[in-house]
Amino acid sequence: MSILVDRETRVVVQGITGRDGAFHAGQMADYGTQVTSGVTPGKGGMKTDDGIPVFDTVRQAVDETGANTSVIYVPARFAADAICEAADAGIQLVVCVTEGIPVKDMVLVLPYLRERNTRLIGPNCPGIISPGKTKVGIMPGEIHMEGPVGVVSRSGTLTYEVVHHLSQSGLGQSTCIGIGGDPIIGTNFLDALELFREDDETEAVVLIGEIGGSDEEEAADVIARGYPKKVVSFIAGRTAPRGKRMGHAGAIVTGGKGTAEEKIAAFKKAGVDVAETPAQIATFVKGLLS
Amino acid sequence: MSILVDRETRVVVQGITGRDGAFHAGQMADYGTQVTSGVTPGKGGMKTDDGIPVFDTVRQAVDETGANTSVIYVPARFAADAICEAADAGIQLVVCVTEGIPVKDMVLVLPYLRERNTRLIGPNCPGIISPGKTKVGIMPGEIHMEGPVGVVSRSGTLTYEVVHHLSQSGLGQSTCIGIGGDPIIGTNFLDALELFREDDETEAVVLIGEIGGSDEEEAADVIARGYPKKVVSFIAGRTAPRGKRMGHAGAIVTGGKGTAEEKIAAFKKAGVDVAETPAQIATFVKGLLS
Amino acid sequence: MKIHEADARRIFSRHGLPVPPSELIVSADQAKAAAEELGCPVVVKAQVLVGGRGKAGGVKLAATPAEAAEKAESMLGMEIKGLTVEKILIAKAVEIEHELYAGIVIDRRSRKPLMMVSAAGGIDIEEVARTSPEKIMKVIIDPLWGIMPFQLRQLQSFLSGEREVARQIGEALKQLYEAFMAVDASLAEINPLVISPEGKVWAIDAKINIDDNGLYRRSELSELRDESAEDQGETEARKNDLSFVKLDGSIGCIVNGAGLAMATMDMIKHYGAKPANFLDIGGSSSPQKVLAAMRIILRDEKVKSILINIFGGITRCDDVAQGIIDAKKELGIDVPLIVRLTGTNEERALKMLEDTDLITAASMDEGVEKAIEASRS
Amino acid sequence: MKIHEADARRIFSRHGLPVPPSELIVSADQAKAAAEELGCPVVVKAQVLVGGRGKAGGVKLAATPAEAAEKAESMLGMEIKGLTVEKILIAKAVEIEHELYAGIVIDRRSRKPLMMVSAAGGIDIEEVARTSPEKIMKVIIDPLWGIMPFQLRQLQSFLSGEREVARQIGEALKQLYEAFMAVDASLAEINPLVISPEGKVWAIDAKINIDDNGLYRRSELSELRDESAEDQGETEARKNDLSFVKLDGSIGCIVNGAGLAMATMDMIKHYGAKPANFLDIGGSSSPQKVLAAMRIILRDEKVKSILINIFGGITRCDDVAQGIIDAKKELGIDVPLIVRLTGTNEERALKMLEDTDLITAASMDEGVEKAIEASRS
């Protein structure tokens, strides 16, 4: 059993008639994901070029197709409502790819999800993939391979880079979760570590952090208190200047807090190997697993 | 172990310098309740005539006296804030005696409590008593006696009447909970039944309902599905006209829903004895327990 | 608290709902002037706080100002379910293609506002709920977030397949919710919400009940209370902080606590008689309240005996006893009083009543039986 | 987005905060007139978007209109931390008895707004937090309920033992929170919030940062952006939907994805050189974006080579290749370009670039090493 998603995952794509939604619905289906349905208000009744039925509301999609997981590609200003709609329709896992959602919206959305026991991945994230089983998001499926390494990351392409190295070194992945680059996200490092803790397919975890916030420090704390799997980490942004946002809304050192040095120190203190380059991650994991 | 409160309960009285708060703080202390502290904003630092220390905020009261249960006597317009203050300070059980709180306030308060895992009894209720151990509320302590009967009721004085009969018949009470007469309350019959279910001090439960809403019907449903204790019920308002509020904000038959007949039928269907008069309740319980 | 349609329309308008223009009038002349100003046809609507006024002849269409005057004339002073028509609303008539229903209440089960809509409007919604539940859509609104865009989309597309009409409906539902919350309503209803042949949405009726407990926040709303729609006793009770409901039996009741008061009524029935009223003097009683309670009950000539049933807790029995003594002095009571007092300060109370001609009872059962007996003698 | 004090004061005022009256001026004459109108003494405050302007001489007291003019004159055109003073705020001075601090940010851990107050105001609050944490009180605000009365009582009684002063502080904190939420702020700060000798509370400074993602909701706020406070490249990047941060090294970088872009910078450092910039072309790239990125980077004369590091996912490598070709044609690039392209449409891209003089690299490590080497030759 992989975490969060597996072959039984039944996906509804919110914003399926948009450019990104349409493209990735097809990509996911090609990868083998059960893309059961899509939602675009006002376009209910049509089918996509890939033959996926489109509904006006998530509730209809759930009722008609048994979707249990949603992936969201709607524009930022409609995304918070789309997330809540999914939760209200009983969707248990929502992956929000959309970037640029106001922080205030997320602050209001998260308690709504919590009340409904819905887990959110993202926003502003590449999604989640359990190689060989299913992918829900936008990551290129072909660079992944099945195996024992769990990956959790705040970034998108940097994760692809790391996964690429892992696969090339023969290290497959159990599940890769892109938790997103925003300051306020639904699932953080701690949550992901807890999921991997119990996952018997996962033998080692790669944690790819970056400057901003203190999620990495909190993860290091948890590992220091006893974590049953090997962990290798990487922190992006050692050379980032203070007070400047580095692309991701969450990647900023403010008031001297959230620096790469602090995070690296916390991991080292917790006994976690911290790689200097993406390629080194694979080397470290290989060493730990052999 | 009684439910919700026991000898270890440490009470803070919110609104302790008001007429009702002051009087009942003394009454509770006389009964043996550990009344640790009181709160009235702006009066922190003083002591009541009974020597109970007064604080400006619940947080201070909790920090200084280890209070874990609050009982609220503040006026209706300040009650919602008082309830939230207690929850925010880490109080796990809040008993709100105050009557006349707008429904909208309660609708907003309940999710706040839920997020903080705080249980509310009431509002507009007499409170809770575990005879011989502690009382948190306004009921006359002397009519109660220790014993095996759990009592849960939407009303105040009617409960006293029933308890009076029980005690006179030699049937003591494990815990009596007045859940309150408002339409929106923190703890309802179902919640109380679940608490009594596991309570090894309780052998039988008396459920005193009234017209309005469908809490009684839901309780009957639960009992019908299998409840490990004997239950006797009573429904007030058989002679109440439709569409008229009978004192309690929640006691009203609207749109033909919430009648005494429906409730009585539901209990009978669930195999629960329904008493015709308060005195009969004690007779029924006696029969069931002998 | 129920408020008149005219007031509810004003609240709806303030929140942007599409309510046709109207004027409130009290004479046939005013009706004519209003109809001229608004432009005919107009609807002439009796302002009474009861349902079913349409069937009772309280709603009429008028094609000309003269007709409006005539219909208003015949409606003014008319009785509808015991209430006299004193005011009339003259509203611009709207052509109707479809009638929908939209309403909000506080749902006790979810503890949240619940919006209910139906494509079958203009008729009794409870009837629709019973016979054709599939014609109704309900959504629970989380007041922390308000009604959400996705919920409006669900509701509006359930009510209309036409994009522009659906948009207007969604807008109206949002405004209805805002009005509901703004006035601390316990019910807000548009029945019917209509679609005109040109595809314009109108709220042509308006009903709002307000939570009395929330009135302190908006004193201007308190002024909307129409005491003429209440029993005189209820008005007086409210002013004295009592809960009173008039019934048609012969045994008056004064009780502390709503549950005990209902149980007292039920027991009167159980023993074969009928209660004359529900009356709860509440928690912190005082002699004045008992006096007021007695005055209200004595106004009912059907009352043959009065039972005072008190289980003292916060209520002090001596306060009640003092109230009874005062009442006997001031009101000249000529029906038997049966008194059952137990609890706080019981002994002092019984001593106070020792030299009176009251009938005392040791239990509620005994009190009820004695009250019935006394009412028959 | 940072906005000027004058704009933040206006937002605070609109939400009822007690902000002393002020005028924004651009000349000494205007300063004099403003001081006359407001009444002296006044404070002359340079409007620049950096902290520490007080220490840099950007805040002065003036006892007379003439002095205000004089101080404004000397301040206009002055440089503070690289920014030129172009506007000045003339604000009525208030007497100060105590200086407090009040600020709100979004707390990442609780995912909610966090209000922080301190009786030690007027100075660097991070310094206070480090050295005297007991002087700070923090409360987490649940935005679904807003800041609650009990929280205001906690905060105000922490800041003042005087009832009336505490009441004013509570009021101000509530308004600060309302302003924070109303503009989608990521930070709102009053430092200092002062108490005058007469016990009146004043917000004499105002700072607001706004969440760029929320700007679409209030277009009037977008106009408060001061582009003169930004690097020219940053402004241009924002208009082209790129993320760009200027640094002081010699290796330009064009990368897709913020994490990969940071990792690229870090790796340049790791291999012994310094990056000239952070640049993320984002997800759905286009040739135009690559062209704009190239133009921005080439403006920096310190740049000795440019590394293009793309891991194609949504980003299509052929789009990037087209952008490079366009840039070479249009911009006349005279520094070496090192290209690492992998992922979506990689092969097509490499074919497109076959006949150019670009240096290609098979991996990120190789790309970085070649870029450093090229920069040194």
Side-chain angles (χ1 to χ4, degrees):
Chain A
M1 269 294 299
S2 46
I3 63 168
L4 297 173
V5 293
D6 60 23
R7 287 199 181 81
E8 309 308 315
T9 297
R10 296 178 64 77
V11 172
V12 51
V13 178
Q14 289 180 255
I16 196 167
T17 56
R19 205 185 94 114
D20 289 349
F23 177 72
H24 288 289
Q27 293 279 302
M28 286 187 281
D30 288 350
Y31 192 76
T33 303
Q34 295 193 55
V35 181
T36 64
S37 49
V39 170
T40 298
K43 302 218 172 152
M46 66 169 272
K47 288 202 176 207
T48 67
D49 295 345
D50 300 303
I52 303 165
V54 179
F55 297 93
D56 281 323
T57 70
V58 178
R59 190 169 290 281
Q60 287 164 358
V62 168
D63 288 349
E64 305 279 325
T65 71
N68 57 21
T69 297
S70 155
V71 57
I72 293 179
Y73 298 94
V74 307
R77 66 183 67 187
F78 307 118
D81 184 57
I83 295 170
C84 292
E85 178 177 5
D88 189 70
I91 295 282
Q92 293 296 293
L93 177 67
V94 176
V95 174
C96 184
V97 172
T98 306
E99 184 183 347
I101 303 177
V103 166
K104 188 165 115 182
D105 288 7
M106 290 314 301
V107 162
L108 293 168
V109 160
L110 290 176
Y112 190 90
L113 301 186
R114 198 181 135 180
E115 246 190 55
R116 283 151 187 82
N117 292 316
T118 295
R119 177 183 292 279
L120 173 70
I121 310 280
N124 189 16
C125 81
I128 177 167
I129 182 168
S130 282
K133 294 174 183 146
T134 196
K135 85 162 190 174
V136 183
I138 59 171
M139 64 285 287
E142 69 281 3
I143 59 171
H144 296 81
M145 66 183 263
E146 240 174 304
V149 183
V151 178
V152 53
S153 170
R154 279 167 70 182
S155 80
T157 48
L158 174 57
T159 315
Y160 309 163
E161 180 80 33
V162 172
V163 165
H164 188 54
H165 284 294
L166 288 170
S167 295
Q168 283 186 325
S169 309
L171 295 162
Q173 304 90 44
S174 54
T175 303
C176 303
I177 315 174
I179 58 174
D182 278 2
I184 306 294
I185 52 178
T187 298
N188 62 18
F189 284 127
L190 279 191
D191 302 322
L193 282 179
E194 290 313 314
L195 291 166
F196 282 128
R197 185 192 288 270
E198 308 291 335
D199 178 38
D200 53 19
E201 286 191 6
T202 302
E203 289 169 34
V205 177
V206 171
L207 196 156
I208 304 166
E210 63 189 33
I211 54 164
S214 58
D215 273 12
E216 290 83 357
E217 286 88 330
E218 286 162 43
D221 271 359
V222 162
I223 296 165
R225 270 181 263 131
Y227 191 73
K229 322 243 156 152
K230 307 287 184 190
V231 181
V232 172
S233 84
F234 178 82
I235 303 295
R238 297 166 190 236
T239 48
R242 307 201 160 193
K244 286 283 186 181
R245 209 183 83 170
M246 305 303 279
H248 286 158
I252 182 166
V253 175
T254 42
K257 288 289 180 73
T259 63
E261 296 78 55
E262 284 172 341
K263 292 169 194 296
I264 291 168
F267 277 121
K268 289 197 168 156
K269 202 175 145 209
V272 172
D273 286 333
V274 183
E276 296 268 320
T277 67
Q280 214 177 37
I281 294 173
T283 315
F284 284 180
V285 173
K286 196 148 207 167
L288 289 171
L289 290 185
S290 62
Chain B
M1 270 295 300
S2 46
I3 62 168
L4 296 173
V5 292
D6 60 22
R7 286 198 183 83
E8 309 308 314
T9 297
R10 296 178 64 76
V11 173
V12 52
V13 178
Q14 290 180 256
I16 195 166
T17 56
R19 203 184 95 113
D20 288 350
F23 177 72
H24 288 289
Q27 293 278 302
M28 287 188 280
D30 289 349
Y31 193 75
T33 303
Q34 295 193 55
V35 181
T36 65
S37 49
V39 170
T40 298
K43 303 217 171 152
M46 66 169 272
K47 289 203 175 205
T48 68
D49 295 345
D50 300 304
I52 303 164
V54 179
F55 297 93
D56 281 324
T57 69
V58 178
R59 191 170 292 278
Q60 288 163 359
V62 168
D63 288 349
E64 304 281 325
T65 71
N68 57 21
T69 297
S70 155
V71 57
I72 293 178
Y73 298 94
V74 307
R77 64 184 67 186
F78 307 118
D81 184 57
I83 295 170
C84 293
E85 178 177 5
D88 189 69
I91 295 282
Q92 293 296 293
L93 178 67
V94 177
V95 173
C96 184
V97 172
T98 306
E99 184 182 347
I101 303 176
V103 166
K104 190 165 114 182
D105 287 6
M106 289 314 301
V107 161
L108 294 168
V109 160
L110 289 176
Y112 190 89
L113 300 187
R114 200 183 132 177
E115 246 190 54
R116 283 151 188 82
N117 292 316
T118 295
R119 177 182 292 279
L120 173 70
I121 310 280
N124 189 15
C125 81
I128 178 168
I129 181 169
S130 282
K133 293 174 185 144
T134 196
K135 85 164 189 173
V136 183
I138 59 171
M139 64 285 285
E142 68 281 3
I143 58 171
H144 296 81
M145 65 184 262
E146 240 175 303
V149 184
V151 177
V152 52
S153 170
R154 281 168 67 184
S155 80
T157 48
L158 175 56
T159 314
Y160 310 162
E161 181 80 34
V162 172
V163 165
H164 187 57
H165 284 294
L166 287 171
S167 295
Q168 283 187 324
S169 309
L171 296 161
Q173 304 90 44
S174 53
T175 304
C176 303
I177 315 174
I179 58 174
D182 278 1
I184 306 294
I185 52 178
T187 297
N188 63 18
F189 284 127
L190 279 190
D191 302 322
L193 282 179
E194 289 314 314
L195 291 167
F196 282 128
R197 186 192 288 271
E198 309 290 336
D199 178 37
D200 53 19
E201 285 191 2
T202 302
E203 290 169 34
V205 177
V206 172
L207 194 156
I208 305 166
E210 62 188 34
I211 54 167
S214 58
D215 273 12
E216 290 83 357
E217 287 88 331
E218 286 161 44
D221 271 0
V222 162
I223 295 165
R225 270 180 264 133
Y227 190 73
K229 321 246 157 149
K230 307 288 183 188
V231 182
V232 172
S233 84
F234 178 83
I235 302 295
R238 296 165 189 237
T239 47
R242 305 199 163 194
K244 286 283 187 182
R245 207 185 84 170
M246 305 302 279
H248 286 160
I252 182 165
V253 175
T254 42
K257 288 287 180 72
T259 63
E261 297 77 55
E262 284 172 341
K263 292 169 193 296
I264 291 168
F267 278 121
K268 289 197 167 156
K269 203 175 144 209
V272 172
D273 286 333
V274 183
E276 295 267 320
T277 67
Q280 214 177 36
I281 294 173
T283 315
F284 283 1
V285 173
K286 196 145 207 170
L288 289 171
L289 289 186
S290 63
Chain C
M1 181 181 92
K2 293 179 176 179
I3 63 171
H4 280 294
E5 180 198 357
D7 296 318
R9 287 172 89 107
R10 209 167 302 129
I11 291 168
F12 280 175
S13 281
R14 203 184 309 142
H15 286 90
L17 276 155
V19 179
S22 65
E23 282 179 36
L24 192 64
I25 58 100
V26 295
S27 73
D29 284 355
Q30 287 179 347
K32 187 153 175 274
E36 274 162 0
E37 200 183 312
L38 294 165
C40 280
V42 293
V43 192
V44 182
K45 306 177 90 175
Q47 299 296 289
V48 281
L49 289 178
V50 287
R53 99 196 126 150
K55 281 184 193 155
V59 180
K60 306 252 185 208
L61 196 68
T64 64
E67 200 183 334
E70 188 185 308
K71 299 217 158 133
E73 180 70 47
S74 70
M75 220 177 264
L76 282 164
M78 176 175 149
E79 288 248 325
I80 297 181
K81 296 191 184 172
L83 296 174
T84 308
V85 178
E86 287 172 354
K87 290 181 182 172
I88 285 178
L89 190 80
I90 307 292
K92 186 146 177 66
V94 175
E95 263 194 282
I96 298 173
E97 177 117 335
H98 292 295
E99 293 188 298
L100 315 172
Y101 169 91
I104 311 182
V105 292
I106 297 284
D107 177 49
R108 292 167 70 143
R109 189 181 294 216
S110 63
R111 301 161 176 178
K112 288 176 178 152
L114 181 146
M115 182 178 276
M116 185 156 89
V117 303
S118 173
I123 51 174
D124 180 7
I125 195 68
E126 279 149 21
E127 186 59 28
V128 178
R130 251 188 308 276
T131 56
S132 333
E134 77 286 354
K135 287 192 181 154
I136 285 179
M137 181 181 265
K138 294 177 182 182
V139 302
I140 288 169
I141 301 168
D142 205 316
L144 297 170
W145 289 269
I147 189 162
M148 300 180 86
F150 77 83
Q151 295 184 308
L152 292 171
R153 289 198 301 272
Q154 279 171 10
L155 293 164
Q156 73 197 34
S157 66
F158 176 77
L159 291 177
S160 173
E162 278 186 62
R163 208 184 169 89
E164 167 53 20
V165 171
R167 191 198 58 73
Q168 288 178 59
I169 293 171
E171 193 68 16
L173 296 180
K174 187 166 178 237
Q175 291 155 343
L176 174 64
Y177 173 71
E178 283 162 4
F180 176 87
M181 291 305 279
V183 300
D184 266 81
S186 53
L187 176 145
E189 207 175 61
I190 309 173
N191 191 17
L193 179 70
V194 307
I195 306 172
S196 76
E198 308 84 47
K200 168 96 180 76
V201 169
W202 290 103
I204 68 166
D205 198 10
K207 184 173 170 186
I208 297 179
N209 294 353
I210 293 176
D211 177 4
D212 290 56
N213 290 338
L215 282 177
Y216 77 86
R217 291 198 256 249
R218 265 163 239 94
S219 54
E220 77 280 7
L221 291 177
S222 307
E223 289 157 23
L224 303 182
R225 188 186 297 276
D226 179 2
E227 292 180 349
S228 74
E230 288 180 328
D231 175 88
Q232 189 191 348
E234 287 177 24
T235 307
E236 194 176 339
R238 199 183 57 252
K239 290 181 177 162
N240 286 283
D241 237 351
L242 306 169
S243 283
F244 172 79
V245 175
K246 186 154 167 17
L247 302 169
D248 61 358
S250 57
I251 319 275
C253 318
I254 296 177
V255 190
N256 67 323
L260 191 61
M262 282 189 275
T264 304
M265 286 159 42
D266 294 352
M267 201 186 274
I268 290 169
K269 177 95 180 296
H270 179 75
Y271 281 107
K274 288 172 82 182
N277 66 282
F278 166 92
L279 194 150
D280 170 14
I281 57 169
S284 31
S285 61
S286 66
Q288 291 74 22
K289 280 185 156 188
V290 177
L291 182 65
M294 208 74 92
R295 192 185 301 119
I296 292 165
I297 289 175
L298 287 169
R299 196 174 292 129
D300 181 356
E301 294 186 353
K302 284 207 280 186
V303 170
K304 298 288 176 260
S305 68
I306 298 178
L307 170 62
I308 297 147
N309 182 19
I310 302 295
F311 203 114
I314 314 191
T315 309
R316 288 162 48 183
C317 291
D318 53 336
D319 278 347
V320 175
Q322 188 59 51
I324 297 169
I325 292 166
D326 293 351
K328 280 193 71 77
K329 220 180 285 173
E330 289 188 31
L331 303 175
I333 300 169
D334 56 0
V335 297
L337 296 186
I338 297 83
V339 181
R340 184 268 183 140
L341 294 171
T342 190
T344 313
N345 296 353
E346 169 182 346
E347 282 164 36
R348 192 188 310 172
L350 292 177
K351 183 158 267 166
M352 287 165 69
L353 297 176
E354 241 168 21
D355 298 325
T356 63
D357 57 353
L358 303 171
I359 303 163
T360 58
S363 74
M364 186 167 158
D365 288 76
E366 190 190 320
V368 168
E369 288 185 297
K370 284 186 171 172
I372 294 174
E373 200 192 306
S375 75
R376 287 172 179 164
S377 59
Chain D
M1 183 180 94
K2 293 179 177 180
I3 64 172
H4 280 295
E5 180 198 357
D7 297 318
R9 286 174 90 106
R10 208 167 302 128
I11 291 168
F12 280 174
S13 281
R14 203 185 307 142
H15 286 89
L17 275 157
V19 179
S22 64
E23 282 179 38
L24 192 65
I25 60 102
V26 294
S27 72
D29 284 356
Q30 287 179 350
K32 185 153 176 273
E36 273 163 1
E37 200 183 313
L38 295 165
C40 280
V42 293
V43 192
V44 182
K45 307 177 90 176
Q47 298 295 290
V48 281
L49 289 178
V50 285
R53 110 198 115 146
K55 282 185 195 158
V59 180
K60 306 255 184 205
L61 196 67
T64 64
E67 198 183 335
E70 185 186 309
K71 298 215 157 135
E73 181 70 47
S74 69
M75 220 177 266
L76 282 163
M78 178 174 147
E79 288 247 323
I80 298 182
K81 295 191 184 173
L83 296 173
T84 308
V85 178
E86 288 172 352
K87 290 180 182 172
I88 285 178
L89 190 79
I90 307 292
K92 186 149 177 59
V94 291
E95 264 192 279
I96 298 173
E97 175 115 338
H98 292 295
E99 293 188 298
L100 316 173
Y101 170 91
I104 312 182
V105 293
I106 297 285
D107 177 50
R108 289 166 75 142
R109 189 182 293 215
S110 64
R111 300 158 178 182
K112 289 177 179 154
L114 181 145
M115 182 178 277
M116 185 155 88
V117 302
S118 173
I123 51 174
D124 179 8
I125 194 67
E126 280 149 21
E127 186 58 28
V128 178
R130 252 188 308 276
T131 56
S132 333
E134 77 287 353
K135 287 192 182 154
I136 285 179
M137 181 181 263
K138 295 177 179 182
V139 303
I140 287 168
I141 301 169
D142 205 315
L144 297 170
W145 289 270
I147 189 162
M148 299 180 86
F150 77 83
Q151 294 183 309
L152 292 171
R153 288 198 301 272
Q154 280 171 9
L155 292 164
Q156 73 197 35
S157 66
F158 176 76
L159 291 176
S160 173
E162 278 186 62
R163 209 187 170 88
E164 167 53 20
V165 171
R167 191 197 59 73
Q168 289 178 57
I169 292 171
E171 193 68 15
L173 296 180
K174 187 166 179 234
Q175 291 156 343
L176 174 65
Y177 173 71
E178 283 160 5
F180 176 88
M181 292 304 280
V183 300
D184 266 79
S186 53
L187 176 146
E189 209 175 60
I190 309 173
N191 190 17
L193 179 70
V194 307
I195 307 172
S196 76
E198 308 84 48
K200 169 96 179 76
V201 169
W202 291 104
I204 67 167
D205 197 11
K207 184 173 172 187
I208 297 179
N209 293 354
I210 293 177
D211 177 4
D212 289 56
N213 290 338
L215 282 177
Y216 77 86
R217 291 197 257 249
R218 265 163 241 94
S219 54
E220 78 281 8
L221 291 178
S222 307
E223 289 158 22
L224 303 183
R225 188 187 297 277
D226 179 2
E227 292 180 350
S228 73
E230 287 180 329
D231 175 88
Q232 189 191 348
E234 287 178 24
T235 307
E236 194 177 340
R238 199 184 56 250
K239 288 179 177 163
N240 285 285
D241 237 351
L242 306 170
S243 284
F244 172 79
V245 175
K246 183 147 168 23
L247 302 169
D248 60 357
S250 58
I251 319 275
C253 318
I254 297 177
V255 190
N256 68 324
L260 191 62
M262 281 188 276
T264 305
M265 286 159 40
D266 294 352
M267 201 185 277
I268 290 169
K269 177 93 181 297
H270 179 74
Y271 281 106
K274 288 171 83 182
N277 67 282
F278 165 93
L279 195 152
D280 170 15
I281 58 169
S284 30
S285 61
S286 68
Q288 291 74 22
K289 279 184 158 190
V290 177
L291 182 65
M294 210 73 91
R295 192 184 302 119
I296 292 165
I297 289 175
L298 286 169
R299 195 172 295 129
D300 180 356
E301 294 186 354
K302 284 206 279 186
V303 169
K304 298 289 176 260
S305 69
I306 298 178
L307 169 62
I308 297 148
N309 183 19
I310 302 295
F311 203 115
I314 315 190
T315 309
R316 288 162 47 185
C317 291
D318 54 334
D319 279 347
V320 175
Q322 187 60 52
I324 296 170
I325 291 165
D326 294 351
K328 281 191 71 75
K329 220 179 287 172
E330 290 189 30
L331 303 177
I333 299 170
D334 56 1
V335 297
L337 296 185
I338 296 83
V339 181
R340 182 269 182 137
L341 293 171
T342 190
T344 313
N345 296 351
E346 168 181 345
E347 282 165 36
R348 192 187 310 169
L350 292 178
K351 183 158 267 163
M352 287 165 70
L353 297 178
E354 241 168 22
D355 298 326
T356 62
D357 58 353
L358 302 173
I359 304 165
T360 57
S363 74
M364 186 167 158
D365 289 75
E366 189 189 322
V368 169
E369 287 183 298
K370 284 187 170 171
I372 294 174
E373 199 190 307
S375 75
R376 287 176 179 162
S377 59

